[in-house]
Amino acid sequence: MVISEIPVRYQLYLCVFLLYLPFVYSTTWSENVATLRQTIALVDSGTIQIGKVGQMDPTVKHLIRLSQFRVVGDGVYAKTSAGLSYFLAPVYFVLKPLLPRNQRERIFLLDFLLAVFVAAPLGALTIVLFYDIIRPRGLTKFDSLFL
């Protein structure tokens, strides 16, 4: 099959997916830690509470000061990105037996899984849907892709 025979929508999806991958993966460990810890809490304990204030490790105490977590009473909760946690939960549930037991390594791998299975596919799908909305408006294929 020649590339020109593949519908433009699939070409666009694949191109945007591959372009998004390096940018959606966190450049530092702490960028998505609240989202990833909430995913772990959802699957492991069935709650959105990440932990208790007195039981958190020093890294999380530092991140609480950086406003990635919100403390309500004695509970610690993620401050942002709850939707990504929910999308990643099924992926984590399925792959949990294969992930390392070390919390730091588990979060690092979950960050990669978040990029590959959630953020990049949803970002690419958004661009394809935008293309589908613009295309019937009388624009040429090139003009639709250019926008």
Side-chain angles (χ1 to χ4, degrees):
M1 178 180 274
V2 181
I3 291 180
S4 62
E5 294 176 6
I6 300 173
V8 173
R9 298 174 76 228
Y10 298 121
Q11 292 177 20
L12 182 61
Y13 181 87
L14 181 63
C15 180
V16 172
F17 176 83
L18 293 174
L19 287 172
Y20 271 15
L21 275 179
F23 297 105
V24 295
Y25 186 65
S26 290
T27 54
T28 64
W29 180 78
S30 65
E31 286 181 8
N32 288 331
V33 74
T35 301
L36 301 172
R37 284 189 183 249
Q38 185 173 17
T39 300
I40 292 171
L42 280 169
V43 173
D44 292 350
S45 63
T47 180
I48 60 171
Q49 183 177 356
I50 295 169
K52 303 257 186 216
V53 174
Q55 301 169 349
M56 302 305 283
D57 59 46
T59 305
V60 174
K61 289 179 183 176
H62 172 69
L63 292 173
I64 289 172
R65 287 189 295 268
L66 295 177
S67 299
Q68 286 206 9
F69 296 102
R70 174 160 296 169
V71 177
V72 178
D74 67 340
V76 178
Y77 300 88
K79 195 170 184 180
T80 60
S81 306
L84 291 176
S85 295
Y86 300 138
F87 280 118
L88 186 60
V91 176
Y92 173 62
F93 179 77
V94 170
L95 297 177
K96 182 180 172 183
L98 304 174
L99 295 175
R101 291 191 173 271
N102 182 323
Q103 182 81 4
R104 193 173 181 102
E105 292 175 7
R106 182 173 285 211
I107 288 177
F108 180 79
L109 288 174
L110 277 176
D111 200 11
F112 176 76
L113 294 174
L114 178 70
V116 173
F117 290 108
V118 178
L122 290 177
L125 183 62
T126 301
I127 298 298
V128 170
L129 291 174
F130 184 70
Y131 170 78
D132 286 344
I133 291 170
I134 289 179
R135 183 79 172 110
R137 307 255 186 245
L139 297 173
T140 65
K141 191 185 299 184
F142 175 77
D143 290 338
S144 296
L145 288 173
F146 183 71
L147 288 175

